């Protein structure tokens, strides 16, 4: 009972922080978009596609390794009755391995990105204006890698509040420095506008690493056991365990992210072949990738928060052989995800056009929000079941599915975007997400004995549809407020109607 209470409290805390951070991020992105224009947003998004691949190399699966090693080690130390000091020493040995691993790949990725930035900017991205931003971002990669390892450590110990502190600090630094840079250097042109946004992100990563490290060295691991240092095993696996868990995942991530990077590079090129000039191609790409998708994924901050905590929970259940708890936890997670995501999808279908205008002042963003709304439950569920599979040690399966997903996406983009424009990319998103989710859900059912119930879909879908029709009928005759007020009314009514069933299902 105490364990479930702690999980719920951590989930609520992480969800609350995630929602606040996402809300601030979306609002700030809207401000940045209005400030620098859609072409600069497209250029920034293009830079970030390469940077994301560099980040993948920098972290190389260390976060997952830290979560799984820490949670399993804590469970075993408690089972063997070690006291807090001994448990802390064992955990620190494991984290030394994580730190060595993360710093190696962080420095390697930083050096490679800085050295190759000109070749990437000129020959891969086909835009010399990206070079300066890539060089600046290279300096942040070692910090990102170490922060990722420390975030995994805190997650494994269920000390979610520490990750929340780090995230809030990071966002404060990012907004402060980016805002100042937009005033000082952004007026010089698109390249400098992109550099201003990138500079804020790079500085924030440095602040995140410093904050994480301070929280780590002052951390106190507690244990109810009494065995002391004298009984501490001489050999505690450190770097070897990290490599065994992280590197196979990292190899798959390199392939997947490389394919994803190629896909994002191919989109503006495909749009130019479709008939758009360079500026228009970047603008269209920026609207869909830089505006629409962040807003579509905004509510997933709640489900992602719950999902991330599934990894240490299921890792412990798996280590202790508690199959019944695994099945119950998986069912609760999927049930909650479906209820929440179907409500979010209904909001995007009904209020998508208004959201695009109110948040970004862009009609195209609203149009794409409505187009992608039906995909929201699939996208959110895919994230949840991926976390379940990783908690069960099925990260290699996730890797294979993600590589297949990225390969298929690249092929579809190269075939359809030159012929259909942006709508070709929309088709790509639908196809790849559906295949990815279907494969992941099937595997989850087999490894957890999850029983998928039709009521998890039918009841929230029917409830959401009726509420949307009623609200549309009322707002067509009586003005009850703008888009934000209408969404708040829908969310409140939907929560009231669905909450009792959610409790029953758990």
């Amino acid at each position: 009972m105490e364990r479930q209470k702690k999980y719920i409290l951590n989930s609520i805390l992480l969800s609350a922080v995630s929602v606040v951070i996402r809300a601030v991020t979306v609002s700030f992105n809207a401000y940045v978009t209005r400030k620098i224009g859609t072409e600069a947003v497209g250029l920034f998004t293009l830079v970030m596609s390469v940077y994301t691949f560099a980040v993948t190399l920098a972290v190389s699966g260390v976060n997952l390794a830290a979560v799984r090693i820490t949670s399993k080690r804590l469970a075993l130390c408690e089972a063997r009755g070690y006291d807090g000091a001994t448990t802390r020493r064992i955990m620190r040995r494991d984290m030394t391995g994580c730190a060595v691993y993360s710093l190696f790949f962080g420095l390697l990725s930083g050096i490679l990105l800085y050295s190759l930035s000109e070749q990437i900017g000129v020959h891969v991205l086909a835009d010399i204006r990206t070079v300066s931003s890539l060089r600046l971002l290279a300096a942040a990669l070692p910090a990102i890698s170490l922060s990722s390892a420390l975030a995994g450590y805190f997650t494994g110990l269920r000390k979610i509040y520490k990750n929340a502190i780090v995230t809030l600090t990071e966002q404060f630094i990012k907004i402060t420095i980016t805002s100042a840079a937009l005033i000082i250097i952004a007026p010089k042109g698109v390249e400098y506008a992109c550099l201003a946004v990138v500079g804020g992100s790079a500085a924030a990563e440095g602040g995140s690493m410093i904050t994480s490290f301070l929280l780590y060295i002052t951390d106190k691991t507690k244990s109810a056991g009494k065995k002391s240092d004298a009984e501490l095993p001489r050999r505690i696996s450190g770097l070897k365990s990290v490599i065994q868990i992280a590197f196979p995942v990292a190899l798959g991530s390199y392939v997947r992210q490389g394919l994803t990077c190629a896909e994002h590079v191919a989109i503006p090129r495909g749009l130019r072949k479709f008939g758009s000039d360079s500026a228009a191609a970047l603008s269209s790409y920026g609207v869909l990738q830089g505006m629409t998708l962040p807003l579509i994924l905004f509510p997933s901050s709640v489900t992602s928060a719950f999902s991330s905590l599934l990894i240490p929970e299921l890792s412990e259940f798996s280590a202790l052989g508690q199959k019944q708890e695994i099945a119950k936890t998986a069912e609760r997670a999927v049930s909650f995800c479906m209820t929440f995501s179907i409500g979010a999808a209904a909001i995007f279908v009904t209020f998508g056009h208004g959201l695009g205008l109110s948040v970004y002042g862009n009609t195209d963003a609203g149009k794409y929000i409505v187009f992608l709304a039906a995909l929201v439950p699939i996208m959110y569920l895919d994230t949840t079941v991926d976390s379940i599979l990783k908690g069960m040690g099925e990260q290699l399966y996730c890797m294979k599915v993600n590589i297949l997903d990225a390969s298929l996406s690249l092929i579809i983009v190269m075939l359809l975007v030159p012929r259909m424009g942006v709508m070709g990319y929309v088709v790509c998103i639908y196809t790849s997400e559906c295949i990815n989710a279907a494969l992941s859900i099937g595997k989850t059912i087999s490894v957890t004995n999850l029983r998928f119930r039709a009521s998890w879909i039918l009841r929230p879908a029917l409830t959401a549809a009726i509420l949307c029709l009623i609200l549309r009928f009322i707002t067509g005759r009586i003005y009850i407020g703008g888009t934000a007020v209408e969404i708040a009314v829908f969310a409140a009514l939907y929560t009231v109607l669905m909450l009792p069933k959610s409790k029953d299902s758990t």
Side-chain angles (χ1 to χ4, degrees):
M1 194 67 182
E2 183 65 28
R3 180 194 195 92
Q4 185 177 3
K5 182 180 177 181
K6 188 174 182 180
Y7 175 80
I8 292 172
L9 290 175
N10 279 332
S11 298
I12 292 172
L13 173 61
L14 188 56
S15 297
V17 172
S18 298
V19 168
V20 170
I21 293 299
R22 288 279 184 98
V24 170
T25 300
V26 169
S27 301
F28 186 64
N29 286 347
Y31 162 75
V32 170
T33 299
R34 294 173 187 268
K35 189 84 174 176
I36 67 179
T38 55
E39 182 185 358
V41 171
L43 189 69
F44 170 72
T45 308
L46 200 59
V47 168
M48 294 306 289
S49 67
V50 173
Y51 179 58
T52 303
F53 177 74
V55 170
T56 301
L57 176 60
V59 299
S60 289
V62 72
N63 181 269
L64 176 62
V67 172
R68 295 199 65 208
I69 289 173
T70 301
S71 58
K72 281 192 172 184
R73 185 70 73 193
L74 181 62
L76 292 174
C77 285
E78 289 177 346
R80 292 170 183 172
Y82 291 132
D83 62 14
T86 303
T87 300
R88 189 159 51 252
R89 286 183 58 193
I90 295 174
M91 306 285 272
R92 291 291 169 89
R93 293 187 186 186
D94 287 325
M95 282 307 297
T96 298
C98 289
V100 171
Y101 180 92
S102 62
L103 285 175
F104 172 79
F105 282 101
L107 290 170
L108 174 64
S109 60
I111 293 169
L112 287 175
L113 182 60
Y114 187 88
S115 303
L116 300 174
S117 56
E118 186 169 352
Q119 290 88 333
I120 293 171
V122 174
H123 301 294
V124 178
L125 302 181
D127 198 320
I128 190 95
R129 296 175 296 178
T130 61
V131 174
S132 56
S133 294
L134 290 173
R135 286 176 174 167
L136 181 56
L137 286 170
L141 291 171
I144 290 174
S145 184
L146 186 56
S147 296
S148 182
L150 294 173
Y153 172 80
F154 296 135
T155 300
L157 293 182
R158 278 70 162 186
K159 296 188 176 181
I160 303 304
Y161 70 93
K162 295 200 173 187
N163 282 336
I165 293 171
V166 173
T167 303
L168 291 170
T169 303
E170 179 182 337
Q171 289 300 313
F172 175 77
I173 296 172
K174 179 180 178 179
I175 291 173
T176 302
I177 294 181
T178 302
S179 299
L182 286 174
I183 296 172
I184 297 170
I185 67 172
K188 295 181 180 180
V190 172
E191 178 181 358
Y192 290 94
C194 181
L195 196 61
V197 181
V198 162
S201 298
E205 296 296 350
S208 175
M209 183 199 70
I210 293 171
T211 306
S212 297
F213 183 70
L214 291 175
L215 291 172
Y216 171 73
I217 61 176
T218 56
D219 180 65
K220 300 294 183 183
T221 305
K222 296 180 180 179
S223 178
K226 296 182 179 180
K227 290 185 181 179
S228 62
D229 293 4
E231 290 138 346
L232 178 63
R234 292 184 178 182
R235 296 187 64 185
I236 302 293
S237 58
L239 182 58
K240 184 178 179 181
S241 293
V242 179
I243 294 173
Q244 287 174 340
I245 296 173
F247 197 61
V249 177
L251 290 175
S253 299
Y254 303 155
V255 176
R256 183 201 180 188
Q257 201 55 55
L259 291 167
T260 302
C261 180
E263 172 195 336
H264 286 289
V265 170
I267 293 170
R269 292 185 178 184
L271 291 173
R272 287 193 288 269
K273 291 180 181 179
F274 182 67
S276 302
D277 60 31
S278 180
L282 279 176
S283 295
S284 298
Y285 176 60
V287 169
L288 183 54
Q289 192 71 32
M291 299 182 191
T292 304
L293 284 175
L295 199 55
I296 282 285
L297 294 173
F298 168 65
S300 70
S301 55
V302 175
T303 54
S304 296
F306 278 83
S307 298
S308 66
L309 296 176
L310 290 173
I311 298 176
E313 290 292 322
L314 292 173
S315 291
E316 282 198 23
F317 290 146
S318 179
L320 300 174
Q322 297 176 345
K323 295 182 180 180
Q324 189 174 3
E325 290 299 322
I326 290 171
K328 287 182 180 179
T329 302
E331 288 183 8
R332 291 190 191 106
V334 173
S335 174
F336 172 77
C337 178
M338 293 309 300
T339 301
F340 182 87
S341 61
I342 289 172
I347 289 174
F348 289 130
V349 168
T350 309
F351 307 106
H353 291 291
L355 280 170
L357 283 172
S358 60
V359 176
Y360 297 115
N362 189 292
T363 55
D364 285 340
K367 178 179 68 176
Y368 295 136
I369 288 171
V370 175
F371 284 162
L372 294 174
L375 195 59
V376 165
I378 296 172
M379 296 171 74
Y380 291 17
L381 182 59
D382 184 44
T383 301
T384 299
V385 296
D386 271 5
S387 294
I388 293 172
L389 289 173
K390 289 175 182 176
M392 294 296 296
E394 295 288 344
Q395 57 267 18
L396 290 180
Y397 180 84
C398 293
M399 173 196 74
K400 294 174 184 177
V401 172
N402 289 333
I403 290 175
L404 175 63
D405 175 6
S407 302
L408 182 62
S409 296
L410 178 59
I411 293 170
I412 295 174
V413 163
M414 294 178 69
L415 290 176
L416 296 187
V417 173
R419 294 169 175 81
M420 299 174 61
V422 175
M423 290 308 299
Y425 185 44
V426 173
V427 172
C428 167
I429 296 172
Y430 263 93
T431 305
S432 62
E433 287 290 344
C434 288
I435 292 174
N436 191 322
L439 293 172
S440 297
I441 292 168
K443 185 66 172 180
T444 301
I445 291 173
S446 69
V447 300
T448 65
N449 293 320
L450 169 71
R451 294 173 297 171
F452 202 97
R453 297 180 175 90
S455 60
W456 294 347
I457 299 175
L458 296 178
R459 188 168 187 270
L462 184 60
T463 303
I466 292 173
L467 281 177
C468 287
L469 289 173
I470 292 173
L471 279 176
R472 275 298 175 221
F473 177 80
I474 294 173
T475 56
R477 286 158 176 76
I478 304 172
Y479 178 75
I480 64 172
T483 302
V485 175
E486 293 175 0
I487 291 174
V489 170
F490 171 87
L493 292 173
Y494 183 78
T495 301
V496 169
L497 291 171
M498 295 305 302
L499 190 58
K501 184 63 178 178
S502 296
K503 286 182 178 179
D504 293 342
S505 66
T506 60

